[in-house]
């Protein structure tokens, strides 16, 4: 864990993954239940460079018409503390490696950009229990993988029973095509 000084020490938020129905810690190579579905986090099919991936332990069926309207089944949230962009920049100044799992939530379709600062979710799976942090990108994969899920912006709190004490806007992971038991989750995003 990183030590912060100055203003950063006051900016860093405590985070309880349970408020979004996430686990405190994610075991590797062991089945877990998140939002009523069974998942396993294990070595990615993309190889060592990509580390771990998230695999479905059950079939998730997407109706043909749902995939083109972003109405596929909800898998789980992209969880973590939300920071204003300027605060996030201060954090990265002290610890640049924190950017790895950052999700700029106000850049997604559906965002009304009510927050002029822009907001960032710190989705590091180790710090926040964010299982979505293990979803790998299809960008540059060989052989080419097809995305089977995506992150979507949702205004307001998550659906009951999750996040009832969490009144922020949030991002969810939804299925965009049928996912079979044993399939690794992939989405499309740029990373470095």
């Amino acid at each position: 864990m990183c030590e912060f000084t100055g203003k950063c020490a006051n900016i860093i938020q405590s985070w309880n993954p349970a408020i979004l129905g996430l686990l405190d810690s994610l075991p590797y190579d062991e089945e877990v239940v998140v939002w009523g579905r069974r998942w396993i986090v294990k070595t990615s099919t993309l190889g060592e460079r990509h580390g771990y991936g998230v695999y479905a332990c059950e079939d998730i069926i997407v109706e043909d018409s749902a995939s083109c309207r972003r109405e596929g089944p909800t898998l789980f949230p992209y969880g973590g503390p939300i920071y204003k962009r300027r605060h996030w920049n201060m954090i990265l100044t002290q610890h640049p490696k924190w950017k790895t799992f950052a999700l700029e939530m106000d850049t997604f379709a559906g965002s009304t950009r009510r927050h002029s600062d822009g907001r960032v979710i710190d989705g590091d799976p180790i710090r926040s229990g964010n299982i979505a942090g293990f979803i790998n990108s299809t960008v540059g994969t060989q052989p080419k993988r097809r995305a089977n899920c995506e992150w979507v912006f949702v205004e307001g709190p998550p659906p009951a029973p999750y996040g009832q004490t969490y009144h922020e806007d949030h991002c969810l992971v939804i299925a965009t095509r049928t996912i079979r038991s044993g399939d690794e989750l992939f989405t499309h995003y740029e990373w470095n």
Side-chain angles (χ1 to χ4, degrees):
M1 196 65 181
C2 299
E3 297 261 344
F4 288 92
T5 60
K7 287 184 179 180
C8 277
N10 295 325
I11 291 170
I12 298 300
Q13 300 174 23
S14 62
W15 169 251
N16 178 0
I19 64 172
L20 284 182
L22 298 171
L23 305 172
D24 283 334
S25 62
L26 293 165
Y28 301 115
D29 301 317
E30 190 176 305
E31 195 174 291
V32 295
V33 176
V34 177
W35 279 37
R37 296 187 196 276
R38 296 175 302 123
W39 308 97
I40 190 165
V41 174
K42 61 183 183 178
T43 304
S44 174
T45 58
L46 297 175
E48 288 181 22
R49 177 174 168 238
H50 293 269
Y52 291 95
V54 179
Y55 295 79
C57 295
E58 57 193 68
D59 290 347
I60 302 163
I61 307 301
V62 175
E63 301 299 326
D64 290 338
S65 60
S67 64
C68 59
R69 292 192 317 268
R70 293 182 149 185
E71 295 177 1
T74 299
L75 305 180
F76 39 75
Y78 193 103
I82 298 173
Y83 294 97
K84 293 178 180 178
R85 164 50 68 192
R86 62 188 162 86
H87 291 161
W88 186 248
N89 289 342
M90 291 170 67
I91 292 168
L92 293 183
T93 299
Q94 285 194 21
H95 295 287
K97 289 185 178 180
W98 269 42
K99 74 177 182 166
T100 307
F101 296 96
L103 186 67
E104 296 194 30
M105 65 187 294
D106 292 316
T107 61
F108 285 85
S111 171
T112 58
R113 299 180 191 262
R114 296 175 295 156
H115 301 270
S116 59
D117 257 353
R119 297 167 297 166
V120 175
I121 299 175
D122 174 17
D124 184 281
I126 306 305
R127 290 192 297 269
S128 66
N130 181 32
I131 192 168
F134 289 112
I135 298 174
N136 285 304
S137 175
T138 59
V139 174
T141 57
Q142 293 298 326
K144 181 69 176 158
R145 305 300 205 290
R146 287 182 55 207
N148 53 16
C149 64
E150 69 179 357
W151 298 318
V152 295
F153 175 88
V154 181
E155 240 175 51
Y162 311 105
Q164 297 313 290
T165 60
Y166 184 83
H167 300 287
E168 299 268 352
D169 301 333
H170 61 287
C171 290
L172 292 175
V173 179
I174 63 165
T176 56
R177 63 186 182 89
T178 295
I179 301 167
R180 296 289 178 200
S181 180
D183 285 355
E184 183 174 0
L185 299 186
F186 292 108
T187 192
H188 183 89
Y189 61 89
E190 299 291 332
W191 62 283
N192 39 345

